[in-house]
Amino acid sequence: VAAALAEAAGVPNQAAWLVALPPRTSLGALQAGDSGLAGYLLRRDPVPSSDSTGPVAPGSVITSLALLHRTRQDPAERVDARAALQASLFNVYVGSLDPLFLDWRWEAIPSPEGGLVWRPLGTFREGALARYDGIAAYLSRPLQPDLTTFGHDYPHTLTGIPDQASAYRYLVGSLGRPVWDSVAAALQAGLTDAAIAAAVGTMPAAYQVLAGNRLIETLRERRDNLPHAVDLMFEQVRGRAEVYGSAGAEEVTVEWPAPDSLTLHVGNTAERFAASETERVTLFLGGGPDTVRVVGERGRAPSLRIVPVPTDPLAQLGIRHRLALGEVLLTLERAGGDPRVMGLVARVSGEGPG
C-alpha cells in the first residue's frame, strides 16, 4: 500500500517483494530452519559507496555517513533539502516514523548554481501503517516515539528521539515555512481519493474485506490533516534550530535586524529566524580559523549558541560582554568533541546537538 501511495505522490520508493523461501532452502546466513518463512526481498541497486573524500560524478550514489562527511567538508556539496522534506512528510503520512537515516542512499545531481546536491533515493518503509498497540508498546513509547498506532490522528512527536531530531534539523532545517506548506500541498494533490483506493486495492482480497474501507477512510483523513502534521513537525525542527558550518575557515555574521528576529550569515548563505518560530539557534562551526562578528545590538530572541570545534582558533568581533548562563542571548562554548548529526556519531559536551 505504501509503495503505491508513494508512486501516486511522486515520492521515490525502494522496490520490495514479499516472498517466502521454499522448504529446505539455505541462502548464506539463512539457515534451513528459516525456510518457509515470509519476508521482504529488497532491491538495493544502485549500491551506495562509502567514499567520503574522493571525486564524484553526477549519478554517483553514497551512504548517509559519506553524505554527512562530504557536506560538512565541502560547501559546494549540499543536501537537496526539499526532496528530503518530501520523503520525510510522506513517511509521517504513512506512519513510518523511524526514518532509518543510516539506510538512506543519496544520488549526486548537478546544481544550476554549481557544485552538487545530494538527493535521497527511495527507501523501504517497513513501519508504514503499523499499529503498535498493547501495554508494552504504550510503556515504551516515551523512549521510542515511533511505536505509534496508525490511525486518524497524528502523534505529537514526529521527529523521534534526539539523534533523529538532529538529523531532521540537518537535512530540512534550512527550509522556511512556505516551503513546508508547498511540499505538503503537493503531496495532498497527488494523494487523491482514487489513488488511495487503488493503493488499498493492492492488498490481498481477504485483507480488503477485513480492513479495506477503514484504511481508505483513515488515509483520506490523514491526507486532509497533513497541514496539522506540518505544524507539529516544523515546530519540532525549527523551534531549536541548528546551523552547520563547513570544515574550512568560516566568516560568520550575526545580526538581529529586529528585536524578535535573528539573521545568520555563514559564508555565502544567510538564514533568518523569527522568535515566533524559533526559541534558540545553535551554530556548529566545522573547523578551521573561524570568525564570528556581531553587528548592531542584540535582540530579545531567538537566542544564539555557538559551538566551535575544540582547539580551533576563533576570532570574536563585536561581542562586548556575556550574560549569566540561563539568561544568555549569545553564548560561546567549547565543545568536548566534534559535533555530528544524524545519530551517526555524536555528542557535544555530553548533550548532543540541540
Side-chain angles (χ1 to χ4, degrees):
V1 175
L5 291 170
E7 183 177 359
V11 178
N13 186 69
Q14 185 176 8
W17 299 268
L18 181 62
V19 299
L21 292 175
R24 295 178 297 279
T25 297
S26 179
L27 296 174
L30 296 177
Q31 302 302 314
D34 295 321
S35 61
L37 298 179
Y40 285 100
L41 179 65
L42 305 183
R43 181 170 182 171
R44 285 285 294 169
D45 63 318
V47 176
S49 168
S50 59
D51 182 10
S52 60
T53 57
V56 293
S60 299
V61 177
I62 60 173
T63 64
S64 287
L65 279 170
L67 170 88
L68 172 63
H69 185 83
R70 299 188 72 95
T71 52
R72 292 299 306 280
Q73 294 294 317
D74 187 354
E77 297 186 24
R78 57 191 185 278
V79 174
D80 187 337
R82 188 183 181 97
L85 177 62
Q86 180 198 44
S88 298
L89 288 180
F90 180 79
N91 287 347
V92 168
Y93 169 68
V94 296
S96 184
L97 297 185
D98 185 352
L100 299 173
F101 285 121
L102 282 174
D103 293 339
W104 284 34
R105 299 167 299 155
W106 303 84
E107 181 181 10
I109 307 295
S111 170
E113 294 82 25
L116 294 172
V117 293
W118 293 98
R119 184 170 300 167
L121 296 177
T123 60
F124 176 61
R125 299 172 173 89
E126 60 181 318
L129 315 184
R131 295 178 60 86
Y132 296 102
D133 48 16
I135 187 64
Y138 173 79
L139 294 175
S140 302
R141 202 163 289 142
L143 299 177
Q144 202 70 29
D146 57 288
L147 297 178
T148 61
T149 299
F150 184 81
H152 299 280
D153 299 324
Y154 289 99
H156 177 74
T157 302
L158 297 178
T159 55
I161 60 177
D163 283 349
Q164 292 172 344
S166 281
Y168 283 115
R169 293 179 186 126
Y170 185 79
L171 296 174
V172 303
S174 63
L175 300 176
R177 183 56 191 260
V179 179
W180 286 66
D181 292 338
S182 173
V183 171
L187 288 175
Q188 287 181 300
L191 296 167
T192 62
D193 289 353
I196 291 172
V200 174
T202 63
M203 294 194 306
Y207 284 20
Q208 293 185 49
V209 171
L210 289 173
N213 290 335
R214 183 173 70 248
L215 181 56
I216 288 174
E217 179 185 352
T218 300
L219 288 169
R220 287 176 176 174
E221 285 201 32
R222 288 176 74 95
R223 175 203 59 198
D224 296 342
N225 292 332
L226 192 58
H228 176 61
V230 170
D231 289 339
L232 294 172
M233 195 170 182
F234 183 79
E235 179 183 355
Q236 291 159 28
V237 170
R238 293 276 288 196
R240 291 203 165 191
E242 296 172 3
V243 178
Y244 292 83
S246 69
E250 212 83 75
E251 295 281 343
V252 178
T253 301
V254 180
E255 181 181 9
W256 280 270
D260 57 355
S261 178
L262 168 67
T263 300
L264 272 185
H265 299 267
V266 182
N268 296 323
T269 64
E271 290 191 50
R272 185 164 183 167
F273 301 90
S276 59
E277 299 174 345
T278 305
E279 174 189 353
R280 187 186 75 184
V281 179
T282 300
L283 170 62
F284 294 99
L285 298 176
D290 298 317
T291 301
V292 176
R293 182 189 304 272
V294 177
V295 177
E297 296 297 322
R298 288 184 301 224
R300 293 190 300 269
S303 62
L304 175 64
R305 171 176 171 245
I306 301 176
V307 183
V309 172
T311 73
D312 283 347
L314 175 66
Q316 306 173 28
L317 305 176
I319 302 175
R320 299 182 179 87
H321 64 279
R322 295 196 310 179
L323 302 176
L325 189 61
E327 305 174 317
V328 76
L329 289 175
L330 172 65
T331 180
L332 291 158
E333 61 182 75
R334 286 285 174 184
D338 184 19
R340 305 289 178 87
V341 293
M342 302 175 74
L344 307 181
V345 277
R347 297 283 179 191
V348 176
S349 298
E351 299 178 35

